[in-house]
Amino acid sequence: MSTNGVVVRVPGKVNLQLAVGPLDPDGYHEVTTVFQAISLFDDVTVKYGPPNSGISLSVSGATSAGVPTDESNLAYKAAKLMVTKYGLSEDVAIHLKKEIPVAGGMAGGSADAAGVLVGIDALFELGLSRDELEIIAAQLGSDVPFSISGGIAIGTGRGDQITPALSRGTYHWVLALAGQGLSTPAVYNECDRLREGLAISKPQVGDELMQALRAGDSIALGKALSNDLQAAACSLRPALRLVLDVGKDYGALGGIVSGSGPTVAFLVEDDDKSLDLTVALSASGVVSGVVRASGPVHGARVVSTL
Ligand code: C5P
């Protein structure tokens, strides 16, 4: 089947656990993380561009302000990698319709890169397996393989080695957004600074967390959420502590900085119960926006052809 273009829908994520080991000589940290894909999506359109147009990138959507459209964008790098690796026509037009917060610790940039990989595979009929796509994805960034797989998965290594995890039920989230993003390397650096001189053990997945997921027990999951980068994110952005307090006061089952932040993810019992917390956060003056989402949801997949 030959098409002019494809639209790939890709989810954002929260880290239910993020355990960070010591800094390795390659500049990365060994991590053990549990990802959940949630229902905030970017739609990535990949089309053939006009002759000699090269790789072009455009953006729209609620969270697209300030997103670069040049080769610094990870989605552009993903297209370049595929074009070079598979000797494809350079003329690829990519459009990102963004809903996932930018630099928010929710893998928005990684989602767009994952969407480009899946979109180019479909458009050029490369027939790559999910495993092959995830290996290419890992060259682009630590979170990109999970954006392809979606669902709930354990990430090891840099977070890029993905193993699907057993889970039951649907989990409901209230996400407190910040006006300004945080840089992932800066948060990891701050984590190292705060832990200087401490013995850091090998990161391991939490038994209670995995049990809670297997049982579909959101109360137990709320208690088991953990993130070793949270102290660092709060140190760089002290207002995050106030945001976390609002969650405690308004009945969240648990609250956590997502990844390297600054988005704070609150687990709530069900979508109805999230209203109080949504109103309280909006009124608190310490967040720039509040959105609701649920998970797990699927990873990057083609939703329409053009
Ligand atoms: O892999 P990615 O490009 O997303 O990583 C961005 C930065 O985050 C890295 O350059 C590194 O500073 C930090 N990082 C890390 N350990 C990881 C993942 C990311 O130190 N496991």
Side-chain angles (χ1 to χ4, degrees), residues 23 27-31 110 140-143 157-159 184-185 188:
L23 176 64
Y28 281 79
H29 298 72
E30 184 187 350
V31 304
S110 301
L140 291 162
S142 308
D143 288 341
R158 294 177 174 184
T184 303
Y188 272 103

Side-chain angles (χ1 to χ4, degrees), residues 184-196 231-233 235-236:
T184 303
V187 175
Y188 272 103
N189 282 342
E190 181 66 0
C191 177
D192 292 336
R193 194 186 69 79
L194 293 174
R195 303 197 304 191
E196 216 171 330
S235 165
L236 295 176

Side-chain angles (χ1 to χ4, degrees), residues 5-259:
V6 295
V7 181
V8 183
R9 183 157 293 169
V10 201
K13 57 84 181 168
V14 291
N15 300 77
L16 308 177
Q17 181 193 357
L18 179 50
V20 179
L23 176 64
D24 288 335
D26 64 3
Y28 281 79
H29 298 72
E30 184 187 350
V31 304
T32 295
T33 188
V34 181
F35 294 108
Q36 181 179 112
I38 60 165
S39 61
L40 278 185
F41 298 101
D42 283 359
D43 280 350
V44 179
T45 303
V46 182
K47 291 197 293 197
Y48 296 113
N52 304 317
S53 59
I55 296 168
S56 64
L57 187 59
S58 57
V59 295
S60 67
T63 59
S64 64
V67 172
T69 54
D70 62 12
E71 61 282 355
S72 68
N73 191 306
L74 200 59
Y76 187 102
K77 290 179 184 160
K80 188 83 198 161
L81 182 63
M82 292 296 271
V83 162
T84 310
K85 193 171 168 67
Y86 295 102
L88 308 174
S89 142
E90 276 260 355
D91 304 321
V92 182
I94 298 161
H95 182 76
L96 311 175
K97 185 158 165 274
K98 294 198 58 67
E99 188 185 50
I100 307 170
V102 175
M106 297 187 67
S110 301
D112 299 340
V116 169
L117 298 185
V118 170
I120 288 184
D121 173 53
L123 184 63
F124 290 87
E125 299 179 335
L126 299 178
L128 298 175
S129 67
R130 287 264 140 174
D131 281 355
E132 286 170 312
L133 285 167
E134 284 178 27
I135 290 167
I136 301 167
Q139 294 171 37
L140 291 162
S142 308
D143 288 341
V144 186
F146 177 72
S147 299
I148 291 182
S149 75
I152 294 194
I154 297 170
T156 53
R158 294 177 174 184
D160 57 337
Q161 308 296 313
I162 298 298
T163 312
L166 278 179
S167 152
R168 183 175 293 161
T170 298
Y171 300 90
H172 300 275
W173 298 93
V174 174
L175 303 158
L177 311 181
Q180 236 195 336
L182 273 173
S183 138
T184 303
V187 175
Y188 272 103
N189 282 342
E190 181 66 0
C191 177
D192 292 336
R193 194 186 69 79
L194 293 174
R195 303 197 304 191
E196 216 171 330
L198 300 176
I200 310 297
S201 49
K202 196 172 164 57
Q204 280 180 340
V205 75
D207 286 342
E208 281 157 26
L209 185 116
M210 297 316 286
Q211 257 167 36
L213 287 173
R214 280 195 296 271
D217 183 343
S218 54
I219 295 173
L221 183 66
K223 291 186 185 135
L225 299 172
S226 73
N227 180 1
D228 286 352
L229 291 181
Q230 181 155 308
C234 289
S235 165
L236 295 176
R237 191 67 64 76
L240 292 181
R241 295 201 183 90
L242 304 176
V243 179
L244 286 160
D245 285 345
V246 176
K248 274 189 209 127
D249 293 346
Y250 286 86
L253 301 175
I256 197 169
V257 169
S258 178

